[in-house]
Every structure is written in structure tokens, then in C-alpha cells.
Amino acid sequence: MNNSNITIYDVAREAGVSMATVSRVVNGNPNVKPATRKKVLDAIENLGYRPNAVARGLASKKTTTVGVIIPDIASIFFAELARGIEDIATMYNYNIILCNSDQNKEKEIHLLNTLLGKQVDGIVFMGGTITEEHVDEFKRSPVPIVLAATVCPDDEIPTVNIHYQEAVYDAIKLLVERGNEKIALVSGPLEDPINGEYKFKGYRRALEESGLSLNEDYVHVGDYTYDSGLEAAEKFLSLEDKPSAVFVGTDEMALGVIHGAQDNGLNIPKDMEVIGFDNTRLAAMVRPTLTTVVQPMYDIGAVAMRLLTKFMNNEKVEDRTVILPHRIQLRDSTLE
Amino acid sequence: MNNSNITIYDVAREAGVSMATVSRVVNGNPNVKPATRKKVLDAIENLGYRPNAVARGLASKKTTTVGVIIPDIASIFFAELARGIEDIATMYNYNIILCNSDQNKEKEIHLLNTLLGKQVDGIVFMGGTITEEHVDEFKRSPVPIVLAATVCPDDEIPTVNIHYQEAVYDAIKLLVERGNEKIALVSGPLEDPINGEYKFKGYRRALEESGLSLNEDYVHVGDYTYDSGLEAAEKFLSLEDKPSAVFVGTDEMALGVIHGAQDNGLNIPKDMEVIGFDNTRLAAMVRPTLTTVVQPMYDIGAVAMRLLTKFMNNEKVEDRTVILPHRIQLRDSTLE
DNA sequence: TTGAAAGCGCTAACAG
DNA sequence: CTGTTAGCGCTTTCAA
């Protein structure tokens, strides 16, 4: 039954050894005579002994648990990231305490402290805007912290990202090369530097370099939801001079744009080309299928966690700022 | 900076009291003179003291952490459930250790033991098939376990579900009432009792009661993926006598069915009506929008977690098997 | 190769 | 209202 009350001490007695020896076999210490090891293993088996990780954590100051602060696990984007994190964590024998922050700064800082209180061995942090206060907290942390899919103004903090500006630049350039001169942008909230700083700048730079001017009517700021994509389409279609292509900051909003346009009788991509961002599974679940910038979410999570293990083991880390490659996956929402 | 080394003992000295008193104020024990409390609070502030939850856990035998075993957090369905769980957990001041099981029995049992080793105060379990071995483990657990969106053959194990058979029955009946006589089924893997037992039986019973016979050609077993929905459509459309309606076990597969049909020139719902299951956000992200059975994932998670808190607090629980209501959300993939 | 003993940082009686 | 004192179950020197 409830075997949670049997301790290392009980095993020691049952096996006729000291608890130190039991500890050794439990921890795979080689300095134990095979015969002794067997006795102990048998006792463990008989008693149904299960080591108490909390006690172990207190004594060893390691919990083999890492904290994960994520904006919203229900988001298809972050869920994929989380899976990458968890898989690698499991591989290295860590468990994960998962916390949703809703990108709320107070919550984020509070969660950070809760996790540190729980003595996690490290933290993977995903968020929107990283303020100085965030950075201070990160630096004050007694355990390593790695940011995933989150840009940080301070480059001493380890991060794993793709090159957002470049990625958007590439997408816009592609549209330009295909003859588009009226290219709209549906962005996520500009307060998030990934949108306001990186993606937007990529858009602007690509237009400039192509000799195209930035038309404010062609910029719509959404809130990441499908519905805001729908709205963006409505807005663009109400324009005198409609855009011939639109780049959308996330796939979910891109689906909204596509459907909004189709609901108004447009043909995608003939009447309007659409490019999304992220390459979530959604991209294959629309008609036409969505051309999109591939952001390897799972890999970002996996690499961030791997990086964290290095810090936790005091391994040498050559580069604390890792940039993963991106590319554009052509599908049917763009011509040709 | 790194304040993780300062302990309750340091605070006690700084405040000129005993550690017991510090413990009292940290834990909100009212038996402390206000003046003393203030001294302690100041000392805590000055030193930047942060209680060590691991030590606390060892001493109190409570970790305020619950384990969550989930098939795949990257699934839109489970991610929503997880969010419900986490929100309520946070509300009751618990953190969550999240583990992906991929519905693999060995992994599930192993994770269970890992979590128990970490001394979680309770566990929310989501899975597919629950075997006797599972039930044994659940019953052997020293802490309460609640199953969410997971049917269990043994009804002593607390569960939170909707009435799957009834839900499917309702959907099929609706199709019948609208004049359909050739109703196909796209199911998830039949090994999962939710599919093989409950949903399938709902389908069969509705047909029987409507005087319709079950046609094997009209049953396709998918694997929950969009692509398997696509395949199902291909298969149905290759039939001599094509179905006029199809009920699909999950929304994602339903999108596949819709697109598969459209890719073959069919008009949904005119040529074929489609009903999905779950009412994930996907249901609104297709054209036509998807009529679907509403399974309140978030609520299931939330209620399961709430139930777990009751067990953890030894509160009276009237009903360990809770059934949440379902309904059908009519959209455009069905006629009228 | 094994054991003894001192903590890890905190809670929880029990006194006072 | 406050302090003393045992542990909680395990790891980790240090000796043997």
C-alpha cells in the first residue's frame, strides 16, 4: 500500500547495512561490494522503497527540477516550445514546473521568485517585453536562466531565438521579387519588441531597400488572435487602394486574414498573396495552405533547455546568444 | 545578489528573535505581537530572505506542488486542459510539475512514481487506456489522484469527464433528424476506450434507434491527425455510395475531412455535412466554420484540479465521478 | 568497502 | 506571545 513512509533507514536495517551504504547504491556509487549492493537492492524491492526527492534536495541542494515560465500554454505556439523543453529536460532527467505568466510583468517576477523558492536548478523563461527589472532579477538569480523565443536588451542573458528582423525581411523581399508593390503588414502588439523592434524593422527595411514607401494604411496591429486577422482583412479591403500582398506576424492571424479576404470574395493568392509566420501546424490546415516563415519552435525550446543543462553542469558555453536558422516554407497562399 | 544562502536563522538573529518566531510570521501565524512581526518583516526585507520551499516541504510533508501527467502538451486539446488545471492550481497556491506521457503505459507509470518521489501533494492524470495496473498504482498512491478527460473502468478513481457516448449520440441524432441516412464516422484509435467504447457506441446506438444499419465502409479509424481526416475523406469519396454526412471524433480530423472533401470538389455542407468534436479554437478557423460537439476542455481541467484540492484538504466530496454538460455548437458545416 | 555523524533549512510540538 | 528542541529523509565528509 502506502509505501511513502518507509525510509532509507528502514532499508538499511532490512539489509543489515548503514544508511550511507543504501544511499550509495541508490545513487549508483561504484564503491559498494556487489554482494552488499544486492542485499540492499533486495531490501529496496521488498520494502517498496522510493527515495524522497525532497529530502534529497535539501541535503544535496539539487532538485533536478527546472522552472518554466511561459506566457500561455494554451497557445499553439508556446505549447510546441514547451514540448521541446520538456523532452530535453526528460532526457537529462529533470522535471519541469510549468507556470503561465500571461506576459504580465508582476506575475513573471512573482513566478520567478516562487520558482527560486522551490529551489529549481534552473529556469527557462519565455515572455514579451524584457525590462531592466527583469534583467536585474535574472542576474540576481542564484541559478541559471535561459530565455527562449524572447529577445533581451541585455546580452549577458542567455537566449535562443531566430533572427526575427532578417526573417521578416526575407519574407517581404520574396513578395517584392514576385512583383508586389503594395505589401501590407499585420503585426502583433508593438509593445512586444519582437514585433515593434524586430519584425517591424524587417518590414520597413525591406520596403526601403526595394524603393517602396511605407503606407500607414497597410499596417494593422492585431492581438495575435484569429479574429484580429479577420479584422485586418476587412480593413485592408475597405481601402481605395488595396494591398496585393500581406505579411502576417503569426499563422493564426494569417488564417484570419485569408478567411476575411475569402469571405469578401477574394481569391487567395490570385487577388492577394499571404505569408504567415511560425509554421505552426495551422499552416497546413487552411485552404489555400499557408506560405509561412518557419520558426522552429520545438527546436528553440529544446536548444534552450539543452543550453540550460550546460549552465547547470558548469560546462563551458561558447556562445550564450544562440540564433537558430529560419527559412520560408512555400505553400499555396503565394503565387507560382 | 545571490541571497539564496540566507536562512531563517539569519533572519532570527538579525531581528533578535528565535527562528520559531520567524517561522510564525512567514507562515502568517497570528500569535505574534505586531511589534515583533514588524522587526521580523524588516529583517526579512533587509536580508532579502526567501524561504526554502524544499526544507519546508521536508519538515511539513507538504510541497504545494501537484503533478500533471498529460499525453502531449503540444496538442491543442490537452494544452487547453492544462491551462484549466494550472489556473486553478495557481488559485489554490499550488505549482504544477508537467510531464508528457505520449500515452505510453510504461512512461505513465514511471512518471507517476517519479512524481510521488518528488512528494507532490496530488496528481491530475490524463491518458488513454486505463489498465488494471494503472488502477493498482492509483490506489497505491499515498496522495490523491484525479483523472481528467480520461475514462476509468474502476469507479473508485475520481474522474472528470463529459458523457461521451451521449454526446456522440446527440450529434448523430441531429444528423438523422435532418434527413441523413448515410452517416459516416471518423474515429480516433479504437484502443482508446473513449473512442472504442464510448463514442463508437454512441454512434451505433443512434443508428440503431433510427433504424439505420451500420455500414463498415462508413467507419474510418484515424489517428487524431489532420492528415488522417484528409485520408478519411478520400476514402469516403471513393465509395460507390458516398455518405451524406460525417461525424468526426476530433476537430482537427474534422478539418481534414472538410478539406479533403473540398479538394475533391465537394461543397460542405451541401454535398456533405460535417460535425466535429471538442470545439477547439480550430472550429472557428475553417471555412465553412465547423459545427461541433462542445467538450469544455478548460473546465474539465479546472474542475479536476478543484476536485483534487478538495481531496488534498480532506474536504468532503459528494461525488467522485463528475460529468460536465456537453452541447452541440451549430456552425456552417451543417445545413440550415 | 563501510559506518558514524553532522548537517541541509524549516516546522511543530511543548514549555514557559 | 516567544523560545527550545526534535526531527523530516537524505547526502556527505571523515574515519576506520
Side-chain angles (χ1 to χ4, degrees):
Chain A
M1 343 277 118
N2 181 326
N3 55 5
S4 66
N5 44 346
I6 96 105
T7 75
I8 200 172
Y9 186 73
D10 300 315
V11 177
R13 218 179 14 196
E14 170 90 3
V17 300
S18 73
M19 49 186 288
T21 299
V22 177
S23 177
R24 288 193 187 92
V25 352
V26 167
N27 292 294
N29 184 317
N31 294 47
V32 181
K33 200 172 15 167
T36 312
R37 178 185 310 281
K38 175 148 184 12
K39 274 195 303 186
V40 172
L41 255 15
D42 287 349
I44 288 179
E45 177 73 32
N46 292 339
L47 269 36
Y49 168 68
R50 176 195 295 135
N52 180 324
V54 172
R56 194 196 295 230
L58 183 58
S60 69
K61 301 182 162 304
K62 297 217 160 312
T63 55
T64 60
T65 302
V66 306
V68 174
I69 296 178
I70 203 167
D72 179 14
I73 191 63
S75 145
I76 194 166
F77 174 81
F78 289 116
E80 192 72 37
L81 254 162
R83 186 49 143 123
I85 295 169
E86 216 265 339
D87 281 357
I88 304 304
T90 298
M91 186 171 301
Y92 284 87
N93 247 291
Y94 286 94
N95 286 110
I96 254 167
I97 298 185
L98 196 286
C99 311
N100 294 105
S101 69
D102 293 313
Q103 306 238 27
N104 176 114
K105 180 172 154 191
E106 274 66 48
K107 241 185 194 170
E108 287 170 340
I109 304 233
H110 174 248
L111 287 173
L112 235 154
N113 282 295
T114 302
L115 290 173
L116 294 177
K118 294 223 168 171
Q119 312 303 118
V120 294
D121 295 336
I123 292 176
V124 177
F125 185 99
M126 284 151 281
T129 309
I130 301 300
T131 65
E132 271 188 47
E133 197 179 338
H134 283 97
V135 173
D136 285 351
E137 294 281 342
F138 293 158
K139 290 192 174 166
R140 188 192 314 284
S141 166
V143 298
I145 296 184
V146 172
L147 309 198
T150 303
V151 296
C152 185
D154 184 305
D155 49 34
E156 287 181 31
I157 308 293
T159 59
V160 179
N161 284 303
I162 61 169
H163 197 313
Y164 294 102
Q165 189 190 128
E166 206 65 28
V168 173
Y169 175 89
D170 292 347
I172 304 298
K173 271 296 195 184
L174 181 116
L175 257 11
V176 171
E177 279 160 18
R178 300 194 172 197
N180 289 288
E181 301 192 330
K182 295 179 287 186
I183 302 173
L185 167 72
V186 179
S187 169
L190 298 176
E191 304 82 72
D192 186 336
I194 281 189
N195 301 314
E197 287 293 306
Y198 299 77
K199 290 185 178 176
F200 187 75
K201 280 187 180 161
Y203 173 67
R204 198 172 54 196
R205 184 159 67 84
L207 291 186
E208 276 169 8
E209 289 189 14
S210 309
L212 300 172
S213 59
L214 197 157
N215 180 162
E216 286 202 358
D217 286 340
Y218 287 173
V219 176
H220 180 87
V221 177
D223 59 3
Y224 297 125
T225 63
Y226 175 82
D227 286 347
S228 69
L230 238 33
E231 285 163 21
E234 295 291 346
K235 171 176 156 187
F236 293 148
L237 297 181
S238 72
L239 257 32
E240 202 57 15
D241 195 20
K242 302 177 182 43
S244 64
V246 21
F247 168 78
V248 192
T250 70
D251 287 347
E252 182 162 338
M253 291 196 290
L255 293 216
V257 169
I258 288 179
H259 288 148
Q262 289 172 335
D263 290 350
N264 281 279
L266 292 215
N267 175 298
I268 307 290
K270 279 191 195 139
D271 301 326
M272 193 165 85
E273 296 188 77
V274 177
I275 296 187
F277 199 100
D278 288 343
N279 196 37
T280 56
R281 285 177 305 138
L282 292 177
M285 300 200 259
V286 225
R287 289 300 181 270
T289 53
L290 183 67
T291 291
T292 193
V293 176
V294 178
Q295 169 168 30
M297 291 94 61
Y298 181 92
D299 295 349
I300 291 178
V303 170
M305 184 64 212
R306 177 66 185 103
L307 186 55
L308 187 61
T309 64
K310 287 187 185 168
F311 286 120
M312 294 190 296
N313 296 327
N314 297 309
E315 289 176 34
K316 269 269 137 352
V317 173
E318 57 308 327
D319 224 338
R320 28 204 324 121
T321 300
V322 3
I323 299 290
L324 261 28
H326 64 269
R327 65 186 177 81
I328 296 181
Q329 174 68 53
L330 296 174
R331 292 204 186 81
D332 301 333
S333 65
T334 45
L335 291 170
E336 260 142 307
Chain B
M1 341 292 117
N2 183 327
N3 54 7
S4 66
N5 43 346
I6 97 103
T7 75
I8 200 172
Y9 187 74
D10 301 315
V11 177
R13 216 178 18 197
E14 169 90 2
V17 299
S18 74
M19 49 186 290
T21 299
V22 176
S23 176
R24 288 193 187 93
V25 350
V26 167
N27 292 293
N29 184 318
N31 293 45
V32 181
K33 197 168 23 165
T36 312
R37 178 185 311 281
K38 175 150 184 10
K39 272 195 304 187
V40 173
L41 255 16
D42 288 349
I44 289 179
E45 177 74 30
N46 293 340
L47 269 34
Y49 168 68
R50 177 194 296 135
N52 180 322
V54 171
R56 196 196 294 228
L58 183 59
S60 69
K61 300 180 163 306
K62 296 215 159 314
T63 55
T64 61
T65 303
V66 306
V68 174
I69 296 177
I70 203 167
D72 179 13
I73 192 62
S75 146
I76 194 165
F77 175 81
F78 288 117
E80 191 73 37
L81 255 162
R83 186 51 141 122
I85 294 170
E86 216 266 338
D87 281 359
I88 303 304
T90 298
M91 185 173 301
Y92 285 87
N93 247 291
Y94 286 94
N95 286 109
I96 254 167
I97 299 185
L98 196 288
C99 311
N100 294 104
S101 69
D102 293 313
Q103 306 239 30
N104 177 115
K105 180 172 153 193
E106 274 64 51
K107 239 184 193 171
E108 287 170 340
I109 304 229
H110 175 249
L111 288 172
L112 236 153
N113 283 296
T114 301
L115 290 172
L116 294 177
K118 295 225 168 172
Q119 312 302 118
V120 295
D121 296 335
I123 291 176
V124 177
F125 184 99
M126 283 151 282
T129 309
I130 302 299
T131 65
E132 271 188 46
E133 197 180 337
H134 282 97
V135 173
D136 284 351
E137 293 282 341
F138 293 159
K139 289 191 173 166
R140 187 191 316 284
S141 166
V143 299
I145 296 184
V146 173
L147 309 198
T150 303
V151 295
C152 186
D154 184 305
D155 50 36
E156 286 179 30
I157 309 293
T159 59
V160 179
N161 284 303
I162 62 170
H163 198 312
Y164 294 101
Q165 187 189 130
E166 206 66 28
V168 173
Y169 175 89
D170 292 348
I172 304 297
K173 271 296 195 183
L174 181 116
L175 256 11
V176 171
E177 278 160 17
R178 299 191 173 199
N180 290 288
E181 301 191 331
K182 294 179 286 185
I183 304 173
L185 167 72
V186 179
S187 169
L190 298 176
E191 305 82 70
D192 186 336
I194 280 189
N195 303 132
E197 287 294 304
Y198 299 78
K199 291 184 178 176
F200 187 74
K201 281 189 179 162
Y203 172 69
R204 199 172 53 195
R205 184 160 65 85
L207 291 186
E208 275 169 9
E209 289 190 13
S210 310
L212 300 172
S213 58
L214 198 158
N215 179 164
E216 286 203 355
D217 287 341
Y218 287 173
V219 177
H220 180 88
V221 178
D223 59 2
Y224 297 126
T225 63
Y226 174 82
D227 286 346
S228 69
L230 238 33
E231 285 163 22
E234 296 291 347
K235 171 175 157 186
F236 292 149
L237 297 181
S238 72
L239 257 31
E240 206 50 18
D241 195 22
K242 303 177 180 45
S244 63
V246 20
F247 167 78
V248 192
T250 70
D251 287 348
E252 182 162 337
M253 290 195 291
L255 294 216
V257 169
I258 288 179
H259 289 148
Q262 289 172 336
D263 291 349
N264 281 279
L266 291 216
N267 176 298
I268 307 289
K270 278 191 196 138
D271 301 326
M272 191 166 86
E273 297 188 76
V274 177
I275 297 188
F277 199 101
D278 287 344
N279 195 38
T280 56
R281 285 178 303 139
L282 291 178
M285 301 201 263
V286 225
R287 288 297 180 273
T289 54
L290 182 68
T291 291
T292 192
V293 176
V294 179
Q295 168 168 32
M297 292 94 59
Y298 181 93
D299 295 349
I300 290 178
V303 169
M305 184 63 212
R306 176 65 184 103
L307 186 56
L308 187 60
T309 65
K310 287 186 184 168
F311 286 121
M312 293 189 297
N313 297 327
N314 297 309
E315 290 176 34
K316 269 269 140 350
V317 172
E318 56 308 324
D319 224 339
R320 24 198 336 115
T321 300
V322 2
I323 300 291
L324 260 30
H326 64 268
R327 65 186 179 81
I328 295 180
Q329 175 68 52
L330 295 175
R331 293 204 185 83
D332 302 332
S333 65
T334 45
L335 291 169
E336 258 143 307

